[in-house]
């Protein structure tokens, strides 16, 4: 447990609260503040997290708040000193659809026609596959304004189309080249699946699914089959099955483009009896000399290991390279985790 105290605070007036719709439909309230110097930076905005907080704490134009920077970085509303009657939006700021409450948050339910949800979802795909440049929000918004609503539409673009959208010849050619590069450069299949942004399907859960079932069969699974996979419960299994059904048409189009997907090894096909890593939890840290850490992680997973970024009570091996910080070493020592040098690890798995 680490305690970080935000010593520097400021009393700030709220000028407005701006609603912003994200890719999941959640409408996030952003407090517009009078410009304030805090921890060496000028702060003009801070998130109010959700409209339940806005409603309960009375955050709106004229409210006075205590502002700090969480971790000396992120602007945070620490306390509301003078509350006001807040303005709670009834319509989505992006598409105008009536908003609905889900617990403490307001959501726009129109995921098909809401420009913010569609544009953010397209940008999320390219950000997640992480092997392509040029498709930030500015480009995505321009493509949206010209009628493109799906990632598969973007991959089907022609040079002439991009020209007609207002892109210069060089930019248009660069964008098409990047699209082709993203098909050639390798991507982990769990990353590709996670790029569709299905609820409860982050990278870790996508990898767990693909360790249990090969990619093409995922869309045939029922809730009971998903719930049987380690790490899933009945509720998350329900979200996963519904989410997979909602993306199937778009998934089929993009999967058919033959991305260079690196297949996640099925646990049933891993080197069970012969692998000293099968079923073990492994953490890698430090600079490796025999290869990259990413390659070592992929190899460990193929041998049936579970790879984590931190040392916990469930960790079996901590594999250390050069320039290792003291934190993980101490955590491993305190928890009785076996520490292996890179050479010792490679000798063990050979």
């Amino acid at each position: 447990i680490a305690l970080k105290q935000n010593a520097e605070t400021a009393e700030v007036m709220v000028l407005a609260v701006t609603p912003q719709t994200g890719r999941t439909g959640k409408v996030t309230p952003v407090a517009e503040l009078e410009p304030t110097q805090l921890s060496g930076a000028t702060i003009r905005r801070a998130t109010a997290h959700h409209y339940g907080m806005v409603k309960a704490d009375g955050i709106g134009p004229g409210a006075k708040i205590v502002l700090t920077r969480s971790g000396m970085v992120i602007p945070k509303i620490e306390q509301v000193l003078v509350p006001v009657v807040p303005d709670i939006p009834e319509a989505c700021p992006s598409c105008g659809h009536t908003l609905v409450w889900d617990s403490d948050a307001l959501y726009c339910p129109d995921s098909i026609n809401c420009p913010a949800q569609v544009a953010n979802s397209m940008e999320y795909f390219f950000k997640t596959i992480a092997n392509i440049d040029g498709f930030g929000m500015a480009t995505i918004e321009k493509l949206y304004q010209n009628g493109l609503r799906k990632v598969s539409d973007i991959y089907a673009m022609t040079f002439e189309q991009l020209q007609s959208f207002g892109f210069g010849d060089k930019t248009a050619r660069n964008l098409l080249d990047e699209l082709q590069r993203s098909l050639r450069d390798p991507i982990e299949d769990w990353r590709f699946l996670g790029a569709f942004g299905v609820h409860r399907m982050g990278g870790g859960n996508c990898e767990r699914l693909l360790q249990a079932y090969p990619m093409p069969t995922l869309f045939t699974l029922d809730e009971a089959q998903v719930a049987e996979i380690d790490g899933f419960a009945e509720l998350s299994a329900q979200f996963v099955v519904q989410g997979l059904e909602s993306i199937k048409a778009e998934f089929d189009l993009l999967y058919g483009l033959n991305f260079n997907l690196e297949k996640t090894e099925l646990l049933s096909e891993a080197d069970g009896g012969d692998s000293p890593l099968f079923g073990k939890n492994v953490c890698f840290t430090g600079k490796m000399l025999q290869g990259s850490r990413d390659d070592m992680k992929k190899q460990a997973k193929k041998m049936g290991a579970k790879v984590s970024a931190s040392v916990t009570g469930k960790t079996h091996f901590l594999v250390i390279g050069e320039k290792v910080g003291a934190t993980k070493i101490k955590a491993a020592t305190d928890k009785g985790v076996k520490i292996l040098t890179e050479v010792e690890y490679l000798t063990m798995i050979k």
Side-chain angles (χ1 to χ4, degrees):
I1 299 174
L3 173 63
K4 294 183 179 180
Q5 186 172 357
N6 299 307
E8 189 174 351
T9 62
E11 295 184 7
V12 184
M13 188 73 70
V14 176
L15 304 179
V17 177
T18 303
Q20 294 183 343
T21 305
R23 67 176 181 84
T24 63
K26 180 182 177 181
V27 180
T28 301
V30 179
E32 312 287 346
L33 311 171
E34 57 182 1
T36 304
Q37 281 288 327
L38 192 62
S39 301
T42 302
I43 309 299
R44 293 181 172 84
R45 312 176 92 199
T47 179
H49 299 294
H50 50 72
Y51 269 96
M53 176 178 170
V54 169
K55 190 176 182 180
D57 294 350
I59 302 173
K64 181 176 283 189
I65 64 169
V66 176
L67 184 69
T68 187
R69 294 181 71 192
S70 181
M72 303 294 288
V73 177
I74 303 170
K76 177 184 177 183
I77 298 175
E78 190 84 4
Q79 182 185 356
V80 178
L81 298 175
V82 180
V84 297
V85 177
D87 181 20
I88 307 298
E90 297 181 354
C92 173
S94 179
C95 68
H97 196 285
T98 301
L99 298 175
V100 296
W101 284 97
D102 183 358
S103 187
D104 284 329
L106 277 175
Y107 281 87
C108 171
D110 190 6
S111 60
I112 304 299
N113 301 304
C114 179
Q117 292 187 64
V118 174
N120 278 295
S121 294
M122 290 194 292
E123 186 206 21
Y124 182 80
F125 180 90
F126 292 110
K127 185 186 295 184
T128 304
I129 63 173
N131 68 347
I132 187 169
D133 295 323
F135 286 87
M137 186 50 74
T139 299
I140 294 296
E141 286 180 345
K142 194 168 185 178
L143 295 176
Y144 183 93
Q145 291 164 5
N146 284 278
L148 275 67
R149 299 291 184 268
K150 297 183 295 183
V151 173
S152 56
D153 292 337
I154 294 176
Y155 275 93
M157 291 187 307
T158 64
F159 183 75
E160 291 72 24
Q161 264 186 304
L162 285 167
Q163 286 180 312
S164 69
F165 295 164
F167 291 98
D169 290 358
K170 184 176 181 180
T171 302
R173 178 54 57 198
N174 286 341
L175 291 175
L176 292 177
D177 288 344
E178 284 295 316
L179 289 171
Q180 290 303 308
R181 181 171 74 87
S182 72
L183 296 177
R184 294 191 307 269
D185 287 359
I187 315 170
E188 298 96 333
D189 55 359
W190 58 263
R191 186 184 298 278
F192 176 77
L193 182 62
F196 290 86
V198 173
H199 185 48
R200 300 288 180 93
M201 283 182 61
N205 275 351
C206 286
E207 190 167 15
R208 291 185 191 95
L209 281 171
L210 292 166
Q211 285 174 338
Y213 294 95
M215 180 86 81
T217 67
L218 294 182
F219 296 89
T220 66
L221 301 179
D222 58 31
E223 293 177 18
Q225 288 172 300
V226 175
E228 287 177 354
I229 301 171
D230 184 33
F232 290 89
E234 289 184 10
L235 182 59
S236 56
Q238 179 183 341
F239 283 123
V240 167
V241 171
Q242 293 174 352
L244 287 171
E245 183 180 352
S246 71
I247 66 165
K248 187 177 188 311
E250 178 72 350
F251 177 89
D252 288 343
L253 289 172
L254 291 171
Y255 190 65
L257 295 177
N258 295 320
F259 281 82
N260 183 11
L261 300 180
E262 294 183 342
K263 182 182 174 184
T264 297
E265 190 82 7
L266 292 170
L267 288 180
S268 59
E269 296 177 359
D271 300 329
D274 297 332
S275 170
L277 298 182
F278 188 79
K280 304 295 185 181
N281 292 290
V282 186
C283 178
F284 297 90
T285 188
K287 182 181 178 182
M288 303 299 173
L289 300 178
Q290 308 283 331
S292 72
R293 271 216 317 256
D294 284 342
D295 288 340
M296 294 179 75
K297 290 177 182 178
K298 291 176 186 176
Q299 182 189 31
K301 289 175 182 178
K302 287 182 179 180
M303 298 178 72
K306 297 179 181 179
V307 178
S308 61
S310 58
V311 176
T312 71
K314 295 183 178 181
T315 305
H316 293 93
F317 302 117
L318 173 64
V319 183
I320 61 172
E322 293 187 335
K323 300 179 181 178
V324 179
T327 304
K328 284 183 179 175
I329 298 289
K330 185 178 185 305
T333 303
D334 292 344
K335 293 177 172 63
V337 175
K338 187 170 183 179
I339 300 173
L340 298 173
T341 65
E342 182 181 2
V343 172
E344 289 171 338
Y345 169 77
L346 293 174
T347 301
M348 181 182 76
I349 64 173
K350 286 178 181 177

